[in-house]
Amino acid sequence: MENKILQFKTNINCASCLASVTPFLDQAEGIENWEVDIHKKDKMLTVKTEGITEKEVIEAVEKAGFKIESIEK
């Protein structure tokens, strides 16, 4: 499976939000690394994949209680 960079718009917007979502993304299989730019208006989540699907990333973030939408490249 090829590694990809997926990007999403989220409402993860502070250090506390990051702390809440971290266990969900860290436990998700197939993520090499991820980061949220909480300093920009769009609160972009960037995920470097190792096999995880876009749908699985969305499910993990929603399970953590946040809104997320895919950004088409």
Side-chain angles (χ1 to χ4, degrees), residues 5-58:
I5 304 284
L6 301 175
Q7 290 193 308
F8 305 89
K9 217 188 311 192
T10 72
N11 66 342
I12 299 166
N13 61 12
C14 65
S16 176
C17 297
L18 278 175
S20 297
V21 79
T22 293
F24 291 89
L25 288 172
D26 284 355
Q27 290 170 7
E29 289 287 312
I31 292 179
E32 186 177 317
N33 63 33
W34 62 271
E35 65 180 358
V36 179
D37 188 344
I38 60 173
H39 303 291
K40 290 213 170 86
K41 185 175 78 77
D42 285 341
K43 313 304 179 216
M44 194 83 63
L45 165 64
T46 303
V47 177
K48 189 169 181 191
T49 69
E50 259 179 1
I52 195 167
T53 66
E54 200 170 278
K55 184 174 180 274
E56 290 168 325
V57 174
I58 290 170

Side-chain angles (χ1 to χ4, degrees), residues 60-73:
V61 172
E62 287 177 341
K63 246 189 240 167
F66 295 96
K67 292 182 180 160
I68 179 171
E69 65 184 68
S70 177
I71 296 172
E72 295 303 319
K73 288 191 175 184

